[in-house]
Amino acid sequence: MTNLDVSLDVIRKASAGTAVLEVIGLLLAIFRLWFRFRIRRLWWEDAWAFAAFLFAANYLTGTWLYIHYGKPTSTVGFWMSAFAFNPVIWLVRHSTLFSVARIIYPSLALRRMVLGIALVFLLFISFMAVKLWHYCHDLSWMNNTLFFGNSLLPLGTTLDIFEVTTDLATDAILIVLPIKLLWSVKLPTRQ
């Protein structure tokens, strides 16, 4: 591992800063769900958002335990954050997809395509969970104290490349779908 000359104190301060941003995100999610419940407009996208909220809270807790405590608590925190990180991202993507699906007229082929893409996204996250389990199931890596006395899982480059590729592809899909939907909208010139 390359020495980046970053002290544990700097990492703890950075994690406190990101924790503040994560808490703001969690509070906004609570507000969104409360508001949608209050106006009686809960739909599947809100269920995905709620699931993402639960995993995000788990990720925040796990990261905090990993950075701010020693073994064995840091090991528990690592497992919590390692298995919660990808689901947060993918559940938010599902929430976005179902938001697009909700505004599409039910009989359009585009809606069926969006729901099919959601199924493909579920397959991606399932594959990533299995791949992560494959890397984690051999517990010998927990004896390596690469991160200031805490264990750090060395992931393979193939997993990293696969994750970055799928992230770019799925984010491109999430950007293109609403554009395709809005492209054919016929609004009066005043609007």
Side-chain angles (χ1 to χ4, degrees):
M1 182 171 176
T2 306
N3 184 1
L4 300 176
D5 293 328
V6 178
S7 70
L8 183 58
D9 189 48
V10 169
I11 291 173
R12 285 186 174 152
K13 287 178 183 176
S15 75
T18 56
V20 168
L21 295 175
E22 290 174 22
V23 167
I24 291 170
L26 291 172
L27 291 174
L28 288 172
I30 290 170
F31 173 74
R32 170 209 171 153
L33 293 168
W34 169 80
F35 182 75
R36 300 274 296 174
F37 176 76
R38 193 171 141 252
I39 64 171
R40 301 190 193 292
R41 299 243 186 229
L42 288 174
W43 201 63
W44 287 107
E45 69 202 55
D46 300 307
W48 291 110
F50 180 68
F53 168 80
L54 294 176
F55 276 99
N58 188 28
Y59 176 76
L60 175 63
T61 305
T63 304
W64 195 262
L65 292 174
Y66 180 68
I67 299 289
H68 295 279
Y69 293 92
K71 282 187 173 182
T73 308
S74 67
T75 305
V76 173
F78 175 82
W79 282 92
M80 288 172 66
S81 60
F83 280 100
F85 177 72
N86 278 325
V88 171
I89 295 169
W90 286 91
L91 290 169
V92 167
R93 287 180 179 144
H94 271 85
S95 179
T96 306
L97 265 178
F98 277 81
S99 295
V100 171
R102 180 177 48 87
I103 60 175
I104 299 172
Y105 194 69
S107 66
L108 287 178
L110 185 60
R111 186 171 189 173
R112 287 188 295 277
M113 184 180 74
V114 167
L115 296 176
I117 290 171
L119 184 64
V120 170
F121 281 13
L122 277 176
L123 292 175
F124 277 147
I125 187 60
S126 300
F127 179 75
M128 282 194 200
V130 168
K131 199 81 162 134
L132 184 62
W133 179 256
H134 171 72
Y135 280 100
C136 292
H137 84 281
D138 177 19
L139 300 178
S140 63
W141 61 269
M142 289 181 17
N143 297 325
N144 300 333
T145 55
L146 300 174
F147 185 76
F148 300 102
N150 292 341
S151 45
L152 184 64
L153 175 67
L155 295 176
T157 54
T158 55
L159 181 63
D160 294 340
I161 290 170
F162 178 76
E163 282 198 35
V164 169
T165 304
T166 55
D167 285 346
L168 291 174
T170 54
D171 288 345
I173 289 169
L174 289 175
I175 291 169
V176 169
L177 271 176
I179 291 174
K180 178 168 176 30
L181 178 66
L182 294 174
W183 196 266
S184 61
V185 171
K186 305 283 190 250
L187 291 175
T189 28
R190 290 185 293 160
Q191 295 181 353

Coordinates of all heavy atoms in Angstrom, one line a residue, residues 72-151:
P72 N -12.2 -5.0 18.1 CA -13.0 -5.7 17.0 C -14.1 -4.8 16.5 O -14.8 -5.2 15.5 CB -13.5 -6.9 17.7 CG -13.7 -6.5 19.1 CD -12.6 -5.6 19.4
T73 N -14.4 -3.7 17.1 CA -15.5 -2.8 16.7 C -15.3 -2.3 15.3 O -16.2 -2.2 14.5 CB -15.6 -1.6 17.7 OG1 -15.7 -2.1 19.0 CG2 -16.9 -0.8 17.4
S74 N -14.0 -2.0 14.9 CA -13.8 -1.5 13.6 C -14.1 -2.5 12.5 O -14.5 -2.2 11.4 CB -12.3 -1.0 13.5 OG -11.4 -2.1 13.6
T75 N -13.8 -3.8 12.9 CA -14.1 -4.9 11.9 C -15.6 -5.0 11.7 O -16.1 -5.1 10.5 CB -13.6 -6.2 12.5 OG1 -12.2 -6.1 12.8 CG2 -13.8 -7.3 11.5
V76 N -16.4 -4.8 12.7 CA -17.9 -4.8 12.6 C -18.3 -3.6 11.7 O -19.1 -3.7 10.8 CB -18.6 -4.8 13.9 CG1 -20.1 -4.6 13.8 CG2 -18.3 -6.0 14.7
G77 N -17.7 -2.5 12.0 CA -18.0 -1.3 11.2 C -17.6 -1.4 9.7 O -18.3 -1.0 8.8
F78 N -16.5 -2.1 9.5 CA -16.1 -2.4 8.1 C -17.1 -3.2 7.4 O -17.5 -2.9 6.2 CB -14.7 -3.0 8.0 CG -14.3 -3.4 6.6 CD1 -13.8 -2.5 5.8 CD2 -14.6 -4.7 6.1 CE1 -13.5 -2.8 4.5 CE2 -14.3 -5.0 4.8 CZ -13.7 -4.0 4.0
W79 N -17.6 -4.3 8.0 CA -18.6 -5.2 7.4 C -19.9 -4.4 7.1 O -20.5 -4.6 6.1 CB -18.8 -6.4 8.2 CG -17.7 -7.4 8.1 CD1 -16.6 -7.6 8.9 CD2 -17.7 -8.5 7.1 NE1 -15.9 -8.6 8.4 CE2 -16.5 -9.2 7.4 CE3 -18.5 -8.9 6.1 CZ2 -16.1 -10.3 6.6 CZ3 -18.1 -9.9 5.3 CH2 -16.9 -10.6 5.6
M80 N -20.3 -3.6 8.1 CA -21.5 -2.8 7.9 C -21.4 -1.9 6.7 O -22.3 -1.8 5.9 CB -21.8 -2.0 9.2 CG -22.3 -2.8 10.4 SD -22.4 -1.9 11.9 CE -23.7 -0.7 11.5
S81 N -20.3 -1.1 6.6 CA -20.2 -0.2 5.6 C -19.9 -0.9 4.2 O -20.4 -0.4 3.2 CB -19.1 0.9 5.9 OG -17.8 0.2 6.1
A82 N -19.1 -1.9 4.2 CA -18.8 -2.6 3.0 C -20.1 -3.2 2.3 O -20.2 -3.1 1.1 CB -17.8 -3.8 3.2
F83 N -21.0 -3.7 3.1 CA -22.2 -4.3 2.5 C -23.3 -3.3 2.4 O -24.4 -3.7 1.8 CB -22.6 -5.6 3.3 CG -21.8 -6.8 2.9 CD1 -20.8 -7.2 3.7 CD2 -22.1 -7.5 1.7 CE1 -20.0 -8.3 3.4 CE2 -21.3 -8.6 1.4 CZ -20.3 -9.0 2.2
A84 N -23.2 -2.1 2.8 CA -24.2 -1.1 2.7 C -23.9 -0.1 1.6 O -24.8 0.6 1.1 CB -24.5 -0.4 4.0
F85 N -22.7 0.1 1.2 CA -22.3 1.1 0.3 C -23.0 1.0 -1.1 O -23.7 1.8 -1.6 CB -20.8 1.1 0.1 CG -20.3 2.1 -0.9 CD1 -20.4 3.5 -0.7 CD2 -19.9 1.7 -2.2 CE1 -20.0 4.4 -1.6 CE2 -19.4 2.7 -3.1 CZ -19.5 4.0 -2.8
N86 N -22.8 -0.2 -1.7 CA -23.4 -0.4 -3.1 C -25.0 -0.4 -3.0 O -25.6 0.2 -3.9 CB -22.9 -1.7 -3.7 CG -21.6 -1.5 -4.4 OD1 -21.3 -0.4 -4.9 ND2 -20.7 -2.5 -4.3
P87 N -25.6 -1.0 -2.0 CA -27.1 -1.0 -2.0 C -27.6 0.5 -1.9 O -28.6 0.8 -2.5 CB -27.5 -1.8 -0.8 CG -26.4 -2.8 -0.6 CD -25.1 -2.0 -1.0
V88 N -26.9 1.3 -1.2 CA -27.4 2.7 -1.1 C -27.4 3.3 -2.6 O -28.5 3.9 -3.0 CB -26.5 3.6 -0.2 CG1 -26.8 5.1 -0.4 CG2 -26.6 3.2 1.2
I89 N -26.4 3.2 -3.3 CA -26.3 3.7 -4.6 C -27.3 3.1 -5.5 O -28.1 3.8 -6.2 CB -24.9 3.5 -5.2 CG1 -23.8 4.3 -4.4 CG2 -24.8 3.9 -6.7 CD1 -22.4 3.9 -4.7
W90 N -27.5 1.8 -5.5 CA -28.4 1.1 -6.4 C -29.8 1.3 -6.0 O -30.7 1.4 -6.9 CB -28.0 -0.4 -6.5 CG -26.8 -0.5 -7.3 CD1 -25.5 -0.6 -6.9 CD2 -26.7 -0.6 -8.7 NE1 -24.6 -0.7 -7.9 CE2 -25.3 -0.7 -9.1 CE3 -27.6 -0.7 -9.8 CZ2 -24.9 -0.9 -10.4 CZ3 -27.2 -0.8 -11.1 CH2 -25.8 -0.9 -11.4
L91 N -30.1 1.4 -4.8 CA -31.5 1.7 -4.4 C -31.9 3.1 -4.7 O -33.1 3.4 -5.1 CB -31.7 1.4 -2.9 CG -31.6 0.0 -2.5 CD1 -31.5 -0.2 -1.0 CD2 -32.8 -0.8 -3.0
V92 N -31.0 4.1 -4.6 CA -31.3 5.4 -5.1 C -31.6 5.4 -6.6 O -32.5 6.1 -7.1 CB -30.2 6.4 -4.7 CG1 -30.3 7.7 -5.4 CG2 -30.2 6.6 -3.2
R93 N -30.8 4.6 -7.3 CA -31.0 4.5 -8.8 C -32.4 3.9 -9.1 O -33.1 4.4 -10.0 CB -29.9 3.7 -9.4 CG -28.6 4.4 -9.5 CD -27.5 3.5 -10.1 NE -26.3 4.2 -10.2 CZ -25.1 3.7 -10.0 NH1 -25.0 2.4 -9.8 NH2 -24.0 4.5 -10.1
H94 N -32.8 2.9 -8.3 CA -34.1 2.3 -8.5 C -35.2 3.4 -8.2 O -36.2 3.4 -8.9 CB -34.3 1.1 -7.6 CG -33.8 -0.1 -8.3 ND1 -32.5 -0.6 -8.3 CD2 -34.5 -1.1 -9.0 CE1 -32.5 -1.7 -9.0 NE2 -33.7 -2.0 -9.4
S95 N -35.0 4.2 -7.1 CA -36.0 5.2 -6.8 C -36.1 6.2 -8.0 O -37.2 6.6 -8.4 CB -35.5 5.9 -5.5 OG -36.4 7.0 -5.2
T96 N -35.0 6.5 -8.6 CA -35.0 7.4 -9.7 C -35.7 6.8 -10.9 O -36.5 7.4 -11.6 CB -33.5 7.8 -10.1 OG1 -32.9 8.4 -9.0 CG2 -33.5 8.9 -11.2
L97 N -35.4 5.5 -11.2 CA -36.0 4.8 -12.3 C -37.6 4.8 -12.1 O -38.3 5.0 -13.0 CB -35.5 3.4 -12.4 CG -34.4 3.2 -13.4 CD1 -33.9 1.7 -13.3 CD2 -34.8 3.6 -14.8
F98 N -38.0 4.5 -10.9 CA -39.4 4.4 -10.6 C -40.1 5.8 -10.6 O -41.3 5.9 -10.9 CB -39.7 3.6 -9.3 CG -39.7 2.1 -9.5 CD1 -38.5 1.4 -9.6 CD2 -40.9 1.4 -9.7 CE1 -38.5 0.1 -9.8 CE2 -40.9 0.1 -9.9 CZ -39.7 -0.6 -10.0
S99 N -39.3 6.8 -10.3 CA -39.9 8.2 -10.5 C -40.1 8.4 -12.0 O -41.2 9.0 -12.3 CB -38.9 9.2 -10.0 OG -38.7 9.1 -8.6
V100 N -39.2 8.0 -12.8 CA -39.5 8.2 -14.3 C -40.6 7.3 -14.7 O -41.5 7.7 -15.5 CB -38.2 7.8 -15.1 CG1 -38.4 7.8 -16.5 CG2 -37.1 8.8 -14.7
A101 N -40.7 6.1 -14.2 CA -41.8 5.1 -14.6 C -43.1 5.7 -14.2 O -44.1 5.5 -14.9 CB -41.5 3.8 -14.0
R102 N -43.2 6.4 -13.1 CA -44.4 6.9 -12.5 C -45.0 7.9 -13.5 O -46.3 8.0 -13.6 CB -44.2 7.5 -11.1 CG -45.5 8.0 -10.5 CD -45.2 8.5 -9.1 NE -44.1 9.4 -9.0 CZ -44.1 10.7 -9.2 NH1 -45.2 11.3 -9.5 NH2 -43.0 11.4 -9.0
I103 N -44.2 8.7 -14.1 CA -44.7 9.8 -14.9 C -45.0 9.4 -16.4 O -45.6 10.1 -17.1 CB -43.8 11.1 -14.9 CG1 -42.4 10.7 -15.4 CG2 -43.7 11.6 -13.5 CD1 -41.5 11.9 -15.6
I104 N -44.6 8.2 -16.7 CA -44.9 7.6 -18.0 C -46.2 7.0 -18.1 O -46.6 6.3 -17.1 CB -43.8 6.6 -18.5 CG1 -42.4 7.3 -18.5 CG2 -44.1 6.0 -19.8 CD1 -41.3 6.3 -18.7
Y105 N -47.0 7.3 -19.1 CA -48.3 6.7 -19.2 C -48.2 5.1 -19.2 O -47.3 4.6 -19.9 CB -49.0 7.2 -20.5 CG -50.4 6.9 -20.6 CD1 -51.3 7.5 -19.8 CD2 -50.9 5.9 -21.5 CE1 -52.7 7.3 -19.8 CE2 -52.3 5.7 -21.5 CZ -53.1 6.3 -20.7 OH -54.5 6.1 -20.7
P106 N -49.0 4.4 -18.5 CA -48.8 3.0 -18.2 C -48.8 2.1 -19.5 O -48.2 1.1 -19.5 CB -50.0 2.6 -17.4 CG -50.5 3.8 -16.7 CD -50.1 5.0 -17.6
S107 N -49.4 2.5 -20.6 CA -49.5 1.7 -21.7 C -48.3 1.9 -22.7 O -48.2 1.1 -23.7 CB -50.8 1.9 -22.5 OG -50.8 3.2 -23.0
L108 N -47.5 2.8 -22.4 CA -46.3 3.1 -23.3 C -45.3 2.0 -23.2 O -45.0 1.5 -22.1 CB -45.7 4.4 -23.0 CG -46.5 5.7 -23.4 CD1 -45.8 6.9 -23.0 CD2 -46.7 5.7 -24.9
A109 N -44.6 1.7 -24.3 CA -43.5 0.7 -24.3 C -42.4 1.2 -23.5 O -41.6 0.4 -22.9 CB -43.1 0.4 -25.7
L110 N -42.2 2.6 -23.4 CA -41.1 3.1 -22.6 C -41.2 2.8 -21.1 O -40.2 2.5 -20.5 CB -41.1 4.7 -22.8 CG -40.0 5.4 -22.1 CD1 -38.6 5.0 -22.7 CD2 -40.2 6.9 -22.3
R111 N -42.4 2.7 -20.6 CA -42.6 2.3 -19.2 C -42.2 0.9 -19.0 O -41.5 0.6 -18.0 CB -44.0 2.5 -18.8 CG -44.2 2.3 -17.3 CD -45.6 2.7 -16.8 NE -45.6 2.6 -15.4 CZ -46.7 3.0 -14.7 NH1 -47.7 3.6 -15.3 NH2 -46.7 2.9 -13.4
R112 N -42.5 0.0 -19.9 CA -42.1 -1.4 -19.8 C -40.5 -1.5 -19.9 O -39.9 -2.3 -19.2 CB -42.7 -2.3 -20.8 CG -44.2 -2.5 -20.5 CD -44.8 -3.6 -21.5 NE -44.9 -3.1 -22.8 CZ -45.9 -2.4 -23.3 NH1 -46.8 -2.0 -22.6 NH2 -45.8 -2.0 -24.6
M113 N -40.0 -0.6 -20.7 CA -38.5 -0.6 -20.9 C -37.9 -0.2 -19.6 O -36.9 -0.7 -19.1 CB -38.1 0.3 -22.0 CG -36.6 0.3 -22.3 SD -36.1 1.3 -23.6 CE -36.3 2.9 -22.9
V114 N -38.4 0.9 -18.9 CA -37.9 1.4 -17.7 C -38.0 0.3 -16.6 O -37.0 0.1 -15.8 CB -38.6 2.6 -17.2 CG1 -38.3 3.0 -15.8 CG2 -38.3 3.8 -18.2
L115 N -39.1 -0.4 -16.5 CA -39.2 -1.5 -15.5 C -38.2 -2.7 -15.9 O -37.7 -3.3 -14.9 CB -40.6 -2.0 -15.5 CG -41.6 -0.9 -15.0 CD1 -43.1 -1.4 -15.0 CD2 -41.3 -0.4 -13.6
G116 N -38.0 -2.9 -17.1 CA -37.0 -3.9 -17.5 C -35.6 -3.5 -17.1 O -34.8 -4.3 -16.7
I117 N -35.3 -2.2 -17.3 CA -34.0 -1.7 -16.9 C -33.9 -1.8 -15.3 O -32.8 -2.2 -14.8 CB -33.8 -0.2 -17.3 CG1 -33.7 -0.2 -18.8 CG2 -32.6 0.4 -16.6 CD1 -33.7 1.2 -19.4
A118 N -34.9 -1.6 -14.6 CA -34.9 -1.8 -13.2 C -34.6 -3.2 -12.8 O -33.8 -3.5 -11.9 CB -36.2 -1.4 -12.5
L119 N -35.1 -4.2 -13.6 CA -34.7 -5.6 -13.3 C -33.3 -5.8 -13.6 O -32.6 -6.5 -12.8 CB -35.6 -6.5 -14.2 CG -35.5 -8.0 -14.0 CD1 -35.9 -8.4 -12.6 CD2 -36.3 -8.7 -15.0
V120 N -32.7 -5.2 -14.7 CA -31.3 -5.4 -15.0 C -30.5 -4.8 -13.9 O -29.4 -5.3 -13.5 CB -31.0 -4.8 -16.3 CG1 -29.5 -4.7 -16.6 CG2 -31.7 -5.5 -17.5
F121 N -30.9 -3.6 -13.3 CA -30.2 -3.0 -12.2 C -30.2 -3.9 -11.0 O -29.2 -4.0 -10.3 CB -30.8 -1.7 -11.8 CG -30.5 -0.5 -12.7 CD1 -29.8 -0.7 -14.0 CD2 -30.8 0.8 -12.4 CE1 -29.5 0.4 -14.8 CE2 -30.5 1.8 -13.2 CZ -29.8 1.6 -14.4
L122 N -31.3 -4.6 -10.7 CA -31.3 -5.6 -9.6 C -30.3 -6.7 -9.9 O -29.7 -7.2 -8.9 CB -32.7 -6.2 -9.5 CG -33.7 -5.3 -8.7 CD1 -35.1 -6.0 -8.6 CD2 -33.2 -5.1 -7.2
L123 N -30.2 -7.2 -11.1 CA -29.2 -8.2 -11.4 C -27.8 -7.7 -11.2 O -26.9 -8.4 -10.7 CB -29.4 -8.7 -12.9 CG -30.7 -9.4 -13.1 CD1 -30.8 -9.8 -14.6 CD2 -30.7 -10.7 -12.3
F124 N -27.5 -6.4 -11.5 CA -26.2 -5.9 -11.3 C -25.9 -5.8 -9.8 O -24.8 -6.2 -9.4 CB -26.1 -4.4 -11.9 CG -25.8 -4.4 -13.3 CD1 -26.3 -3.3 -14.1 CD2 -25.0 -5.3 -13.9 CE1 -26.0 -3.2 -15.4 CE2 -24.7 -5.2 -15.3 CZ -25.2 -4.2 -16.0
I125 N -26.8 -5.3 -9.0 CA -26.5 -5.3 -7.6 C -26.4 -6.6 -7.0 O -25.5 -6.9 -6.1 CB -27.5 -4.4 -6.8 CG1 -27.1 -4.2 -5.3 CG2 -28.9 -5.0 -6.8 CD1 -25.8 -3.5 -5.2
S126 N -27.1 -7.6 -7.4 CA -27.0 -9.0 -6.9 C -25.6 -9.5 -7.3 O -24.9 -10.2 -6.5 CB -28.1 -9.9 -7.6 OG -29.3 -9.4 -7.2
F127 N -25.2 -9.3 -8.5 CA -23.8 -9.7 -8.9 C -22.8 -9.1 -8.1 O -21.8 -9.7 -7.7 CB -23.6 -9.4 -10.4 CG -22.3 -9.9 -10.9 CD1 -22.0 -11.2 -11.1 CD2 -21.3 -8.9 -11.1 CE1 -20.7 -11.6 -11.5 CE2 -20.0 -9.3 -11.6 CZ -19.7 -10.7 -11.8
M128 N -22.9 -7.8 -7.8 CA -21.9 -7.1 -7.0 C -21.9 -7.6 -5.6 O -20.8 -7.7 -5.0 CB -22.1 -5.6 -7.0 CG -21.6 -5.0 -8.3 SD -21.6 -3.2 -8.1 CE -21.6 -2.7 -9.8
A129 N -23.0 -7.9 -5.0 CA -23.1 -8.5 -3.7 C -22.4 -9.8 -3.6 O -21.6 -10.1 -2.7 CB -24.5 -8.6 -3.2
V130 N -22.6 -10.7 -4.6 CA -22.0 -12.0 -4.7 C -20.5 -11.8 -4.8 O -19.7 -12.5 -4.2 CB -22.6 -12.8 -5.8 CG1 -21.7 -14.1 -6.1 CG2 -24.0 -13.2 -5.5
K131 N -20.0 -10.9 -5.7 CA -18.6 -10.6 -5.9 C -18.0 -10.1 -4.6 O -16.9 -10.5 -4.3 CB -18.5 -9.6 -7.0 CG -17.1 -9.6 -7.6 CD -17.0 -10.7 -8.7 CE -15.8 -10.4 -9.6 NZ -15.0 -11.5 -9.8
L132 N -18.6 -9.2 -3.9 CA -18.1 -8.7 -2.6 C -18.0 -9.8 -1.6 O -17.0 -9.9 -0.9 CB -18.9 -7.6 -2.1 CG -18.4 -6.9 -0.8 CD1 -17.1 -6.2 -1.1 CD2 -19.4 -5.8 -0.4
W133 N -19.0 -10.7 -1.6 CA -18.9 -11.8 -0.6 C -17.8 -12.7 -1.0 O -17.1 -13.2 -0.1 CB -20.2 -12.6 -0.7 CG -20.2 -13.7 0.3 CD1 -20.0 -15.1 -0.1 CD2 -20.2 -13.7 1.7 NE1 -20.0 -15.8 1.0 CE2 -20.1 -15.0 2.1 CE3 -20.4 -12.7 2.6 CZ2 -20.1 -15.4 3.5 CZ3 -20.4 -13.0 3.9 CH2 -20.3 -14.3 4.4
H134 N -17.5 -12.9 -2.3 CA -16.4 -13.7 -2.7 C -15.1 -13.2 -2.2 O -14.2 -13.9 -1.8 CB -16.4 -13.8 -4.3 CG -15.1 -14.5 -4.8 ND1 -14.9 -15.8 -4.7 CD2 -14.1 -13.9 -5.5 CE1 -13.8 -16.1 -5.3 NE2 -13.2 -15.0 -5.7
Y135 N -14.9 -11.8 -2.3 CA -13.7 -11.2 -1.8 C -13.6 -11.3 -0.2 O -12.5 -11.4 0.3 CB -13.6 -9.8 -2.2 CG -13.1 -9.6 -3.6 CD1 -14.0 -9.4 -4.7 CD2 -11.7 -9.7 -3.9 CE1 -13.5 -9.3 -6.0 CE2 -11.3 -9.6 -5.2 CZ -12.2 -9.4 -6.2 OH -11.7 -9.2 -7.5
C136 N -14.8 -11.2 0.5 CA -14.8 -11.1 1.9 C -14.8 -12.5 2.6 O -14.5 -12.5 3.8 CB -16.0 -10.3 2.4 SG -15.9 -8.6 2.0
H137 N -15.2 -13.5 2.0 CA -15.5 -14.8 2.7 C -14.2 -15.4 3.3 O -14.2 -16.1 4.3 CB -16.2 -15.8 1.8 CG -15.4 -16.6 0.9 ND1 -14.9 -16.1 -0.3 CD2 -14.9 -17.8 1.0 CE1 -14.2 -17.0 -0.9 NE2 -14.2 -18.1 -0.1
D138 N -13.0 -15.2 2.6 CA -11.8 -15.6 3.2 C -11.3 -14.5 4.2 O -10.9 -13.4 3.8 CB -10.7 -15.8 2.1 CG -9.4 -16.1 2.6 OD1 -9.3 -16.6 3.7 OD2 -8.4 -15.9 1.9
L139 N -11.4 -14.9 5.5 CA -11.2 -13.9 6.5 C -9.7 -13.6 6.8 O -9.4 -12.8 7.8 CB -11.9 -14.3 7.8 CG -13.4 -14.5 7.7 CD1 -14.0 -14.9 9.0 CD2 -14.1 -13.2 7.2
S140 N -8.8 -14.1 6.0 CA -7.4 -13.9 6.3 C -7.0 -12.4 6.1 O -6.1 -11.9 6.8 CB -6.5 -14.7 5.4 OG -6.8 -14.3 4.0
W141 N -7.8 -11.7 5.3 CA -7.5 -10.2 5.2 C -7.7 -9.4 6.4 O -7.1 -8.3 6.6 CB -8.3 -9.6 4.0 CG -9.8 -9.7 4.3 CD1 -10.6 -10.7 3.9 CD2 -10.6 -8.8 5.0 NE1 -11.9 -10.5 4.3 CE2 -11.9 -9.2 5.0 CE3 -10.3 -7.5 5.5 CZ2 -13.0 -8.6 5.6 CZ3 -11.4 -6.8 6.1 CH2 -12.7 -7.4 6.1
M142 N -8.5 -10.0 7.4 CA -8.8 -9.2 8.6 C -7.5 -9.1 9.5 O -7.5 -8.3 10.4 CB -9.9 -9.9 9.4 CG -11.2 -9.6 8.6 SD -12.7 -10.3 9.4 CE -12.4 -10.6 11.0
N143 N -6.5 -10.0 9.3 CA -5.3 -9.9 10.1 C -4.3 -8.8 9.6 O -3.4 -8.4 10.2 CB -4.6 -11.2 10.1 CG -5.4 -12.3 10.7 OD1 -6.2 -12.0 11.7 ND2 -5.4 -13.5 10.2
N144 N -4.5 -8.3 8.3 CA -3.7 -7.2 7.8 C -4.2 -5.9 8.4 O -5.4 -5.6 8.3 CB -3.8 -7.1 6.3 CG -3.4 -8.4 5.6 OD1 -2.6 -9.1 6.1 ND2 -3.9 -8.7 4.4
T145 N -3.3 -5.2 9.0 CA -3.6 -3.9 9.6 C -3.1 -2.8 8.7 O -2.1 -2.1 9.1 CB -3.1 -3.8 11.0 OG1 -1.7 -4.1 11.0 CG2 -3.8 -4.8 11.9
L146 N -3.7 -2.6 7.6 CA -3.2 -1.7 6.6 C -3.7 -0.3 6.9 O -3.1 0.7 6.4 CB -3.6 -2.1 5.2 CG -3.1 -3.5 4.7 CD1 -3.7 -3.8 3.4 CD2 -1.6 -3.4 4.6
F147 N -4.8 -0.1 7.6 CA -5.4 1.2 7.8 C -5.3 1.6 9.3 O -6.2 1.4 10.0 CB -6.8 1.2 7.3 CG -7.5 2.5 7.4 CD1 -7.2 3.5 6.4 CD2 -8.4 2.8 8.4 CE1 -7.8 4.7 6.5 CE2 -9.0 4.0 8.4 CZ -8.7 5.0 7.5
F148 N -4.2 2.1 9.7 CA -4.0 2.6 11.0 C -4.4 1.6 12.1 O -5.1 1.9 13.0 CB -4.7 4.0 11.3 CG -4.2 5.0 10.3 CD1 -4.9 5.4 9.2 CD2 -3.0 5.7 10.6 CE1 -4.5 6.4 8.4 CE2 -2.6 6.7 9.7 CZ -3.3 7.0 8.6
G149 N -4.0 0.4 11.9 CA -4.3 -0.7 12.9 C -5.6 -1.4 12.6 O -5.9 -2.4 13.2
N150 N -6.4 -0.9 11.7 CA -7.7 -1.6 11.3 C -7.5 -2.4 10.0 O -6.7 -2.0 9.2 CB -8.8 -0.6 11.1 CG -9.2 0.1 12.4 OD1 -8.9 -0.4 13.5 ND2 -9.9 1.3 12.3
S151 N -8.2 -3.4 9.9 CA -8.0 -4.2 8.7 C -8.7 -3.5 7.5 O -9.6 -2.8 7.6 CB -8.7 -5.6 8.9 OG -9.9 -5.5 9.5

